[in-house]
Amino acid sequence: QVQLVESGGGLVQAGGSLRLSCAASGRSLSSYAMGWFRQAPGKELEFVAAISWTGGSTYYATSVKGRFTASRDNAKNTVYLQMNSLKPEDTAVYYCAASVQITGRGQRDDDYDYWGQGTQVTVSS
């Protein structure tokens, strides 16, 4: 079992930055690909980013490409999502998730085996 805990969310003005962290316990994350998803009120869960277990490959949703950066520190059992140039439409609850094996670019939420509880990101205009 892997327990995931997100942190770093909050309220920020448009154009600002936040860095989300996802800390794991129970098992090493080094064997898992990791994904970030988000869900805005009244909307479906949306893929944001994914990173391979080595960190050598990253994938992004078109809406965040160039603004968000996924990274990981396997020694700290933590993954990160650096979010820059935030927009009001980025407002959502952000979740990290761990997958034994993702398919394609890691966009499918049903590829993921473990999920965190989420952290709220609110971007004001």
Side-chain angles (χ1 to χ4, degrees):
Q1 282 280 46
V2 177
Q3 291 79 42
L4 302 173
V5 178
E6 301 95 337
S7 61
L11 174 64
V12 64
Q13 288 189 331
S17 299
L18 284 173
R19 188 175 82 154
L20 304 184
S21 299
C22 173
S25 61
R27 276 188 185 178
S28 170
L29 279 185
S30 60
S31 301
Y32 295 88
M34 299 297 295
W36 288 95
F37 290 78
R38 66 187 181 186
Q39 188 166 27
K43 294 190 176 181
E44 293 187 350
L45 191 67
E46 176 188 20
F47 169 77
V48 175
I51 184 167
S52 63
W53 64 276
T54 63
S57 297
T58 52
Y59 310 95
Y60 299 96
T62 302
S63 59
V64 306
K65 197 168 187 178
R67 301 188 297 123
F68 291 12
T69 303
S71 62
R72 65 191 300 159
D73 185 338
N74 286 340
K76 293 184 178 179
N77 230 23
T78 302
V79 294
Y80 305 97
L81 185 68
Q82 177 67 43
M83 306 186 296
N84 298 329
S85 302
L86 283 161
K87 305 175 181 180
E89 51 264 44
D90 294 318
T91 295
V93 177
Y94 284 70
Y95 300 91
C96 67
S99 172
V100 172
Q101 185 169 359
I102 58 173
T103 54
R105 300 170 70 246
Q107 295 173 288
R108 293 181 49 170
D109 59 276
D110 58 3
D111 277 349
Y112 292 84
D113 306 289
Y114 304 101
W115 292 79
Q117 83 291 347
T119 186
Q120 176 71 46
V121 171
T122 303
V123 184
S124 63
S125 57

